Amino acid sequence: QVQLKESGGGLVQSGGSLRLSCAASASIHSFNHMRWYRQGPGKERELVADFIEGRGPNYEEGFKGRFPISVDYAKNAIHLQLNNLKPEDTALYYCYVDQLYDGRQYVYWGQGTQVTVSS
Protein backbone atom coordinates (compact mmCIF):
# COMPACT_ATOMS: atom_id res chain seq x y z
CA GLN A 1 0.00 0.00 0.00
CA VAL A 2 1.34 3.41 -0.99
CA GLN A 3 0.34 6.63 0.74
CA LEU A 4 0.47 9.93 -1.08
CA LYS A 5 0.27 13.29 0.62
CA GLU A 6 -0.09 16.50 -1.36
CA SER A 7 0.87 19.95 -0.14
CA GLY A 8 1.51 23.43 -1.47
CA GLY A 9 -1.98 24.52 -2.44
CA GLY A 10 -3.51 27.79 -1.37
CA LEU A 11 -5.02 31.09 -2.46
CA VAL A 12 -3.10 33.08 -5.06
CA GLN A 13 -3.84 36.03 -7.30
CA SER A 14 -4.15 35.70 -11.06
CA GLY A 15 -0.69 35.59 -12.63
CA GLY A 16 0.87 34.09 -9.53
CA SER A 17 2.64 30.78 -8.99
CA LEU A 18 2.48 27.83 -6.63
CA ARG A 19 4.56 24.69 -6.27
CA LEU A 20 2.66 21.57 -5.39
CA SER A 21 4.38 18.60 -3.81
CA CYS A 22 3.35 14.98 -3.40
CA ALA A 23 5.22 12.94 -0.80
CA ALA A 24 5.15 9.20 -1.43
CA SER A 25 5.57 6.51 1.23
CA ALA A 26 7.49 4.26 -1.19
CA SER A 27 10.42 4.72 -3.51
CA ILE A 28 9.30 6.51 -6.64
CA HIS A 29 11.58 4.19 -8.63
CA SER A 30 8.86 1.58 -8.03
CA PHE A 31 6.24 3.65 -9.87
CA ASN A 32 5.34 3.49 -13.53
CA HIS A 33 3.32 6.65 -14.02
CA MET A 34 3.42 9.62 -11.65
CA ARG A 35 0.70 12.13 -12.46
CA TRP A 36 -1.10 15.23 -11.39
CA TYR A 37 -4.81 15.54 -12.05
CA ARG A 38 -7.19 18.31 -11.18
CA GLN A 39 -10.93 18.71 -10.72
CA GLY A 40 -12.47 22.13 -10.88
CA PRO A 41 -15.91 23.03 -9.48
CA GLY A 42 -18.59 21.33 -11.56
CA LYS A 43 -16.00 19.78 -13.88
CA GLU A 44 -14.65 16.32 -14.65
CA ARG A 45 -11.28 15.27 -13.29
CA GLU A 46 -8.60 15.97 -15.90
CA LEU A 47 -4.99 14.96 -16.37
CA VAL A 48 -2.53 17.84 -16.07
CA ALA A 49 0.90 16.20 -16.30
CA ASP A 50 2.45 12.75 -16.40
CA PHE A 51 5.96 11.58 -15.54
CA ILE A 52 6.88 8.12 -16.76
CA GLU A 53 9.66 6.43 -14.80
CA GLY A 54 12.67 6.03 -17.06
CA ARG A 55 11.21 8.24 -19.78
CA GLY A 56 10.39 11.64 -18.30
CA PRO A 57 7.52 14.11 -18.47
CA ASN A 58 4.54 14.14 -20.77
CA TYR A 59 1.96 16.93 -20.83
CA GLU A 60 -1.60 17.37 -21.89
CA GLU A 61 -1.80 19.93 -24.68
CA GLY A 62 -3.50 22.67 -22.69
CA PHE A 63 -0.86 22.64 -19.93
CA LYS A 64 2.35 22.25 -21.90
CA GLY A 65 4.98 24.76 -20.81
CA ARG A 66 2.95 26.28 -18.01
CA PHE A 67 2.77 23.48 -15.42
CA PRO A 68 6.04 21.51 -15.44
CA ILE A 69 6.20 18.24 -13.51
CA SER A 70 9.36 17.02 -11.82
CA VAL A 71 10.43 14.27 -9.43
CA ASP A 72 12.86 14.19 -6.53
CA TYR A 73 14.22 10.65 -6.17
CA ALA A 74 16.08 11.46 -2.96
CA LYS A 75 12.89 12.61 -1.22
CA ASN A 76 10.40 10.35 -3.04
CA ALA A 77 8.45 13.42 -4.08
CA ILE A 78 6.61 14.52 -7.18
CA HIS A 79 6.25 18.22 -7.84
CA LEU A 80 4.03 20.36 -10.04
CA GLN A 81 5.01 23.95 -10.66
CA LEU A 82 1.96 26.10 -11.40
CA ASN A 83 2.90 29.26 -13.30
CA ASN A 84 0.88 32.20 -14.56
CA LEU A 85 -2.20 30.97 -12.76
CA LYS A 86 -5.65 31.98 -13.96
CA PRO A 87 -9.01 31.85 -12.16
CA GLU A 88 -10.00 28.88 -14.34
CA ASP A 89 -7.10 26.92 -12.80
CA THR A 90 -9.00 26.86 -9.52
CA ALA A 91 -9.36 23.20 -8.65
CA LEU A 92 -8.51 20.39 -6.30
CA TYR A 93 -5.17 18.99 -7.50
CA TYR A 94 -4.53 15.29 -6.99
CA CYS A 95 -1.40 13.19 -7.07
CA TYR A 96 -1.62 9.75 -8.71
CA VAL A 97 0.87 6.91 -9.07
CA ASP A 98 0.65 3.40 -10.39
CA GLN A 99 2.74 0.28 -10.08
CA LEU A 100 2.95 -2.81 -12.24
CA TYR A 101 3.59 -6.14 -10.49
CA ASP A 102 3.08 -9.60 -11.96
CA GLY A 103 0.97 -8.20 -14.78
CA ARG A 104 -1.35 -6.29 -12.48
CA GLN A 105 -1.72 -2.56 -12.12
CA TYR A 106 -2.00 -0.96 -8.68
CA VAL A 107 -3.27 2.61 -8.55
CA TYR A 108 -2.94 5.09 -5.70
CA TRP A 109 -4.39 8.55 -5.21
CA GLY A 110 -3.70 11.31 -2.76
CA GLN A 111 -6.52 13.27 -1.11
CA GLY A 112 -5.78 16.45 -3.02
CA THR A 113 -4.65 19.99 -2.34
CA GLN A 114 -6.87 22.97 -3.10
CA VAL A 115 -5.68 25.72 -5.42
CA THR A 116 -7.79 28.86 -5.60
CA VAL A 117 -6.92 31.66 -8.00
CA SER A 118 -8.52 35.06 -7.52
CA SER A 119 -8.97 37.56 -10.33
Side-chain angles (χ1 to χ4, degrees):
Q1 187 78 7
V2 175
Q3 274 86 47
L4 301 173
K5 177 64 178 173
E6 300 97 335
S7 62
L11 174 64
V12 63
Q13 288 189 331
S14 183
S17 298
L18 286 172
R19 185 175 187 242
L20 306 185
S21 297
C22 172
S25 64
S27 169
I28 61 175
H29 283 294
S30 70
F31 303 148
N32 182 31
H33 287 271
M34 294 163 270
R35 293 173 172 165
W36 284 93
Y37 286 82
R38 73 180 189 183
Q39 187 166 17
K43 298 181 182 178
E44 301 274 322
R45 190 175 296 191
E46 60 179 341
L47 176 63
V48 175
D50 181 24
F51 191 101
I52 305 172
E53 173 61 11
R55 293 174 60 183
N58 186 37
Y59 299 99
E60 294 299 290
E61 191 59 39
F63 303 105
K64 195 176 292 185
R66 198 159 65 97
F67 294 169
I69 187 173
S70 61
V71 299
D72 184 334
Y73 290 101
K75 296 182 179 179
N76 292 322
I78 305 145
H79 302 293
L80 186 70
Q81 179 68 38
L82 305 178
N83 297 318
N84 189 24
L85 284 161
K86 305 171 186 178
E88 52 264 40
D89 295 318
T90 293
L92 191 60
Y93 285 72
Y94 295 92
C95 182
Y96 160 110
V97 301
D98 62 42
Q99 296 175 313
L100 298 174
Y101 285 126
D102 295 329
R104 294 185 64 180
Q105 183 188 41
Y106 298 84
V107 173
Y108 303 97
W109 291 89
Q111 296 206 332
T113 185
Q114 178 67 40
V115 172
T116 302
V117 186
S118 63
S119 57

